[in-house]
Structures are given as structure tokens and as C-alpha cells.
Amino acid sequence: MPMNNVLRRITNMLALTGYWRLNLPSSLSFIRLLGGRLCLDFVNTTPSHSELSWEGLVLLLEATRIVSAERGAQLLALPQSDPPAAEGLLLKARRLSASLRKALTAMHRKHKIAAEWVEPINEILRITEGHDELIFEDGAWRMEFVAREGGLDWLLAAIARSAAELVAEGPKAPLRICANPQCGLFFYDKSRTHRRRWCSMSACGNRSKVATFARRHSAAHGDA
């Protein structure tokens, strides 16, 4: 696929999901990760009723520092250099994303989580072996998953672990969906009162304020 088409697809995906990055294509340094949990950012990468794209998956892996910028560039070219490997990982990622979305929706509605929705999480956890390691980067320490063996499945290991931890929290988990019906992003409510309504005040929150002001202004002029 020509690079221009790749960038166009990534840009469209960002516009739909609320993510954004600056200085395309040379910089992936600024992306708005609004979920508060890795697994939520993973699900939020794909709008509801849409399939995860290879570019979207690589973008998330790089944005969350699961892979470096150099590794991300290599992965973007993988569908051309090794189509079976890219297709295999993308199928696993899509299955994980679709099942996790169902599980998160059930959690948000305080419904039971079906075993078949959890199986893709466990599948990734079973096939990925490795350990966490502290890495010093950009003047700070961060924890990174280091795979024991090669292959690509380990790229989904941290996402699966994040999903397992959230599911294990159960009904008490402060899982929310943005109050903007046109948004639908999941987020983990870490606010003091646990009454956060928007994925981001600078995005959906401000749009709601503007819309409310416009309605009141229109009503006031209508009464005049």
C-alpha cells in the first residue's frame, strides 16, 4: 500500500477516535490516550462496528511504547514483507478487540461477562511468556514487557494483561463511556468523585458546553 494511503487511513482513524498526532509522518510522539488503561486505549483505537486496521494497531503499540519508533516503522512494512505473519497477528488483535469490547460493555451495564469473551484474553496470556523489566528512558524509569521468545504474539501480551486486570476488578471498576453519544470512548474514571462524564474536557466536554450555550442563547432570543 502506498505510504500516502497509509497516512490517510491513520489520519481518518485518529479523527474518528479522538486520537491525534503531530508532524506526520516523522513523529509519533503526541497521541491522546484517553482511556486511562492500556486495554481501553486498545479498544478505543477502533470505532464501534469497525475492524481494527494494521496501521491502527501499530500506531497504538508505538504510542503506548510497547514498541519503539524504529520497530513501529518495521511493523508498518510487515504486510508487504511477511503477509502471513502480519495477518496472523491482526486476526488475533481483532478477535481480542471485539471480545473485549463486548466484555467492557457488559461491565459498564453491570451485566455478566460471557466466558467466550474472556477466552481471547486468556489465549494471549497463555501463548506469551516473558517478564517485566525496568527500562530507563527519557530521564525516567518505566516498566516494559520483555518476551522470552521471538514471534509477534508478545506484542499483545501487555494489552491482554491489562484487560485481565480490569475484568478481575468486577462491577466495582469505575468504567465509563463518554457521555457524548457521537463518541462512545471507554475510560477509567480516576476522578475524586467518580462522576467524570467525558473522555476529555478539551474535546467532548467543551463541545457539550458550546452546544448547551447555543441552545440557551437560541431559546433566549426566541423568548425575546
Side-chain angles (χ1 to χ4, degrees):
M1 179 183 295
M3 183 56 69
N4 286 342
N5 290 340
V6 171
L7 295 177
R8 188 177 300 111
R9 288 180 63 182
I10 294 176
T11 302
N12 290 340
M13 183 272 293
L14 295 177
L16 285 170
T17 61
Y19 287 75
W20 189 245
R21 72 178 185 177
L22 299 177
N23 301 323
L24 286 169
S26 61
S27 172
L28 284 165
S29 61
F30 180 75
I31 297 178
R32 301 177 68 193
L33 302 174
L34 305 174
R37 290 291 186 91
L38 175 58
C39 63
L40 300 183
D41 289 323
F42 171 65
V43 172
N44 288 343
T45 300
T46 309
S48 182
H49 308 301
S50 298
E51 281 196 322
L52 178 67
S53 70
W54 179 255
E55 295 83 6
L57 175 60
V58 174
L59 177 65
L60 175 74
L61 294 176
E62 189 172 336
T64 54
R65 296 190 175 186
I66 292 176
V67 300
S68 65
E70 293 75 16
R71 180 58 171 151
Q74 295 171 0
L75 287 172
L76 277 177
L78 194 64
Q80 287 75 44
S81 61
D82 192 348
E87 182 179 358
L89 182 66
L90 184 58
L91 286 175
K92 285 186 175 70
R94 284 176 172 174
R95 183 166 179 253
L96 179 62
S97 178
S99 295
L100 185 52
R101 181 179 291 277
K102 292 177 182 178
L104 294 174
T105 300
M107 286 183 66
H108 181 259
R109 296 174 178 173
K110 309 302 181 185
H111 294 171
K112 291 184 178 180
I113 298 175
E116 58 264 30
W117 301 339
V118 172
E119 179 53 30
I121 301 173
N122 285 334
E123 178 185 350
I124 298 298
L125 293 176
R126 281 195 295 266
I127 63 179
T128 53
E129 295 185 0
H131 62 276
D132 289 323
E133 194 169 294
L134 285 168
I135 306 294
F136 190 75
E137 185 177 72
D138 298 330
W141 290 97
R142 65 180 179 83
M143 195 161 63
E144 180 178 287
F145 179 83
V146 179
R148 182 175 300 173
E149 299 180 2
L152 295 176
D153 292 334
W154 70 269
L155 293 172
L156 303 176
I159 297 171
R161 184 180 60 180
S162 172
E165 290 173 348
L166 182 56
V167 170
E169 285 191 43
K172 293 182 179 180
L175 177 64
R176 307 283 185 263
I177 295 179
C178 183
N180 177 4
Q182 304 302 318
C183 175
L185 294 186
F186 290 97
F187 63 88
Y188 194 85
D189 185 4
K190 299 178 182 178
S191 66
R192 183 176 58 84
T193 61
H194 292 300
R195 293 181 179 179
R196 178 179 158 192
R197 299 184 61 208
W198 315 105
C199 64
S200 169
M201 277 304 301
S202 63
C204 291
N206 280 343
R207 281 196 289 269
S208 176
K209 286 184 177 181
V210 171
T212 299
F213 175 81
R215 285 195 299 270
R216 290 175 178 173
H217 183 75
S218 177
H221 279 271
D223 293 339

